[in-house]
Amino acid sequence: MRSAINAQIREELDSAYLYLGLSAYMDGLNLRGCAHWLRMQWQEEIQHALKFLDFLLQRNCEVELKALAAPAFSAKTPLEIFELVLAHECHITACIHELYALAVVEHDYASQTLLQWFITEQLEEEQSARDIIDDLRLAGDSGASLLLLDRELAARQAED
Ligand code: OFO
């Protein structure tokens, strides 16, 4: 379980790095609201990594930080970018579910409690990405609608 949680810390930091890259890309498209939303997401992923890391420390387990790869993506349009976000979140959900299954096999009740928080969080993560994708599909080729959506995304606040 310790080793699997260490691997998940890297997954969360990878997510953060990906979203930071996507945020910078969106800023380059002058979609500053999308860039802001993705930067908030970057911050949230760092919090997720810290939640796992602090859990290991609390249990007196060794933390092994692993190397991160540079984020690489071929998505270009806002719709493609948020489809990538959703696909990535689905991947993270699968990782969390695997971790939970392992915690059950190992009778690791403390990990199960921690992971229940992440299971709920992943529902929200996927839903947020789906909502933005739906809005982008509705906006279609309308620059005015995209601008409105971009302004809406600019309002995202950091979570506690
Ligand atoms: Fe950590 O939830 Fe997104 O990746």
Side-chain angles (χ1 to χ4, degrees):
M1 201 64 218
R2 182 193 65 79
S3 154
I5 290 179
N6 270 303
Q8 189 60 29
I9 291 172
R10 192 183 62 90
E11 289 282 355
E12 300 293 343
L13 292 174
D14 258 343
S15 304
Y17 214 22
L18 172 65
Y19 295 146
L20 190 61
L22 294 178
S23 171
Y25 174 78
M26 286 298 214
D27 198 273
L29 296 183
N30 282 327
L31 290 168
R32 303 246 150 74
C34 291
H36 168 80
W37 191 95
L38 286 157
R39 194 180 280 224
M40 290 291 103
Q41 195 61 30
W42 161 74
Q43 212 169 70
E44 207 168 274
E45 299 302 347
I46 298 286
Q47 295 306 321
H48 292 172
L50 288 176
K51 214 172 169 78
F52 279 118
L53 188 145
D54 285 340
F55 179 73
L56 287 182
L57 293 177
Q58 190 180 24
R59 299 180 84 190
N60 207 23
C61 292
E62 192 188 344
V63 170
E64 286 173 66
L65 293 180
K66 312 203 186 282
L68 295 179
F73 53 90
S74 56
K76 294 272 179 278
T77 66
L79 179 59
E80 287 168 351
I81 295 286
F82 280 96
E83 283 172 341
L84 173 61
V85 170
L86 177 58
H88 186 75
E89 287 306 326
C90 290
H91 161 70
I92 296 296
T93 299
C95 293
I96 297 289
H97 290 178
E98 270 179 36
L99 273 174
Y100 191 87
L102 183 62
V104 169
V105 168
E106 294 193 359
H107 302 284
D108 183 343
Y109 303 111
S111 291
Q112 287 175 39
T113 301
L114 173 77
L115 289 163
Q116 273 161 12
W117 183 90
F118 277 97
I119 288 169
T120 307
E121 175 70 6
Q122 282 311 117
L123 287 173
E124 280 176 30
E125 297 275 77
E126 288 184 22
Q127 182 69 56
S128 309
R130 271 193 202 100
D131 287 348
I132 297 171
I133 289 170
D134 287 346
D135 288 349
L136 283 167
R137 287 199 177 126
L138 276 176
D141 293 331
S142 159
S145 301
L146 181 58
L147 196 61
L148 272 177
L149 177 59
D150 191 60
R151 292 217 172 123
E152 203 179 293
L153 296 181
R156 180 176 179 183
Q157 307 277 325
E159 285 183 15
D160 289 339

